[in-house]
Amino acid sequence: MSCEPISQAFKQCLLNSTCVQRDGRLPSDCAKNHADELPEECTMLRYALFNCKRNMLDMRKRFRGNGAKAYEGYEAKAATVEPVESQAHRQ
């Protein structure tokens, strides 16, 4: 299992962030020095990438897989999640 899908999504998220777009910083600079300015999606992807890479080194996880495959359905699931406001109106 590779962490490549998560890595690509994190890179794309960084490129689309205001830290890079508006402020003109390098993506690596935003990830290292301005992590608090990144959108929540980028923060979650950064954490997922860290866990994926860490689990690749964990011998207990190597036999079971590191869970990188779980990311493949992330975008499809994220598109189908209802906003909190619409869930409150149903009640």
Side-chain angles (χ1 to χ4, degrees):
M1 290 285 176
S2 170
C3 299
E4 191 63 27
I6 300 172
S7 177
Q8 290 298 323
F10 180 58
K11 289 176 187 176
Q12 191 62 41
C13 187
L14 281 175
L15 290 174
N16 294 333
S17 69
T18 56
C19 182
V20 173
Q21 295 284 326
R22 187 187 65 205
D23 301 337
R25 297 183 180 116
L26 293 173
S28 59
D29 183 40
C30 290
K32 292 176 187 173
N33 302 323
H34 302 281
D36 56 329
E37 299 173 19
L38 294 175
E40 184 178 353
E41 180 187 1
C42 293
T43 305
M44 291 176 9
L45 286 168
R46 182 180 185 195
Y47 182 71
L49 183 60
F50 167 76
N51 279 330
C52 182
K53 288 182 176 184
R54 181 181 66 183
N55 288 337
M56 287 181 75
L57 300 174
D58 186 359
M59 293 307 250
R60 294 172 292 173
K61 300 275 184 170
R62 291 184 82 173
F63 290 109
R64 295 183 217 136
N66 64 4
K69 193 149 181 87
Y71 176 74
E72 291 176 4
Y74 168 76
E75 291 178 358
K77 289 178 187 174
T80 60
V81 175
E82 287 186 46
V84 175
E85 300 87 34
S86 64
Q87 290 176 358
H89 290 270
R90 276 200 238 160
Q91 295 175 352

